């Protein structure tokens, strides 16, 4: 597991208050992790701070799974 | 209000000053914001402290997003959290619609409406993290009924009511309430500019038969910002002596 995934996972666990074991690369934010649209916006803002990057609204809309986020961050750093 | 941290935009004088003092009473912390009148803002801060609160003074033009961000940061830096935002900053550029210049329209919309948007956007983030926040927008009853000579001001105030309701819906799940207070005819520098004929005509329209005081508005804001109002969001509370029902 990549370091990026671990950091993303920690933020998700903290922000969405879900069990660590539920967070895999395949888990979807809305269905598997129970995030509403505001949760996703909050997560994205927090990830932007954590990884010091900016995720455009257009790109943010395409994010469905934890893996999408990890891939996005790794490609944009 | 003990320990609660508030930002009151445009609180160098008038209604904003009364709100700042009210929120500072009994240990509240207040960021007193002004755009141009530093001396008067310092006097507001002194009155907040006299009422038993803590105050800092911060210059910011809320029509600029970076200024709004800085204002929120100043509250977090000085007091460590942000519980209450009162969007009070407002200007007027009154003239009949046919004579109104684009600059007059833009200036009023930028401060009175866009300023509140900026503040809500900046403040929502720390409030969401805290799972607590109280946002009170100072609208006006003219935003509900219109007023000749104030197309820009009325449009901004009506817009503020729509913004209040949408922000209330978007932020509700995070423990943030968003309400508006709509003052009627309140005795301030802004209304002192009106001539006595207009004034006496307006008073005739007020069932309670007198103009309101800034403290009347401040009391309503204090209520909406308090824990007692935890189940109220997206509402407009008129403080107008019954002028609009």
């Amino acid at each position: 597991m990549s370091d990026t995934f671990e950091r993303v996972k920690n933020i998700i666990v903290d922000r969405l208050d879900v069990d660590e074991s539920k967070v895999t690369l395949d888990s979807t934010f809305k269905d598997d992790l129970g995030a509403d649209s505001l949760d996703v916006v909050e997560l994205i803002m927090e990830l932007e701070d954590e990884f010091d990057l900016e995720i455009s609204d257009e790109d943010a809309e395409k994010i469905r799974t934890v893996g999408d986020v990890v891939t996005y961050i790794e490609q944009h750093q | 209000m003990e320990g609660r941290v508030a930002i009151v935009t445009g609180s160098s004088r008038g209604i904003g000053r009364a709100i700042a003092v009210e929120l500072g009473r009994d240990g509240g912390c207040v960021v007193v914001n002004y755009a141009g009148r530093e001396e008067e803002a310092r006097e507001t801060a002194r009155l907040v402290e006299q009422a038993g609160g803590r105050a800092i003074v911060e210059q910011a033009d809320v029509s600029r997003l970076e200024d709004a961000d800085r204002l929120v940061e100043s509250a977090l830096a000085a007091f460590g959290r942000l519980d209450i935002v009162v969007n009070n900053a407002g200007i007027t550029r009154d003239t009949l619609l046919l004579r109104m210049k684009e600059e007059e329209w833009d200036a009023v919309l930028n401060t009175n409406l866009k300023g509140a948007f900026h503040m809500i956007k900046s403040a929502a983030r720390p409030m969401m993290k805290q799972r607590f926040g109280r946002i009170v927008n100072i609208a006006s009853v003219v935003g509900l009924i219109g007023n000749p000579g104030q197309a820009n001001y009325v449009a901004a105030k009506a817009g503020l009511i729509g913004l209040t309701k949408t922000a209330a819906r978007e932020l509700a799940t995070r423990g943030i309430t968003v309400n508006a207070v709509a003052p009627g005819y309140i005795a301030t520098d802004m209304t002192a500019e009106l001539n006595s004929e207009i004034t006496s005509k307006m008073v005739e329209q007020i069932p309670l038969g007198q103009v309101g005081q800034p403290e009347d508005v401040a009391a309503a804001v204090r209520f909406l910002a308090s824990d007692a109002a935890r189940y109220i969001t997206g509402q407009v509370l008129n403080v107008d002596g019954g002028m609009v029902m």
Side-chain angles (χ1 to χ4, degrees), chain A residues 45-58:
Chain A
M45 292 194 301
E46 210 154 320
L47 291 166
E48 286 177 333
D49 286 348
E50 169 76 18
F51 293 95
D52 194 26
L53 48 79
E54 204 163 302
I55 307 174
S56 71
D57 284 353
E58 215 177 23

Side-chain angles (χ1 to χ4, degrees), chain A residues 5-39:
Chain A
F5 173 68
E6 285 301 320
R7 285 163 73 191
V8 169
K9 185 166 82 174
N10 287 339
I11 290 173
I12 292 170
V13 167
D14 179 50
R15 180 47 64 200
L16 298 181
D17 200 21
V18 290
D19 196 81
E20 231 184 283
S21 62
K22 286 190 76 179
V23 186
T24 68
L25 286 172
D26 293 330
S27 16
T28 61
F29 286 105
K30 289 194 176 152
D31 297 330
D32 298 333
L33 301 173
D36 65 17
S37 53
L38 207 50
D39 285 321

Side-chain angles (χ1 to χ4, degrees), chain B residues 67-129:
Chain B
D67 279 28
D69 283 342
R70 184 164 47 75
L71 198 51
V72 168
E73 277 158 23
S74 73
L76 298 173
F79 302 119
R81 53 184 291 128
L82 176 59
D83 302 292
I84 302 162
V85 167
V86 182
N87 287 308
N88 168 76
I91 59 169
T92 53
R93 295 285 183 275
D94 296 353
T95 188
L96 291 173
L97 196 49
L98 289 168
R99 302 283 300 164
M100 191 173 285
K101 295 189 183 74
E102 189 180 358
E103 303 84 77
E104 292 168 330
W105 173 271
D106 287 345
V108 170
L109 268 288
N110 283 344
T111 295
N112 301 18
L113 182 55
K114 199 198 267 184
F117 162 67
H118 287 157
M119 286 303 297
I120 292 172
K121 203 174 148 163
S122 298
R125 206 168 171 183
M127 286 180 172
M128 280 164 74
K129 282 196 177 166

Side-chain angles (χ1 to χ4, degrees), chain B residues 187-241:
Chain B
T188 64
D189 292 350
M190 198 185 270
T191 52
E193 287 170 16
L194 304 171
N195 69 41
S196 60
E197 194 191 341
I198 295 178
T199 305
S200 60
K201 264 193 178 165
M202 284 186 90
V203 173
E204 278 171 29
Q205 308 296 315
I206 303 171
L208 288 175
Q210 55 182 329
V211 301
Q213 298 302 317
E215 291 72 22
D216 295 318
V217 180
V221 173
R222 183 191 173 94
F223 167 64
L224 290 171
S226 73
D227 291 335
R230 55 184 277 270
Y231 199 56
I232 300 174
T233 196
Q235 303 304 308
V236 184
L237 177 54
N238 296 358
V239 179
D240 64 351

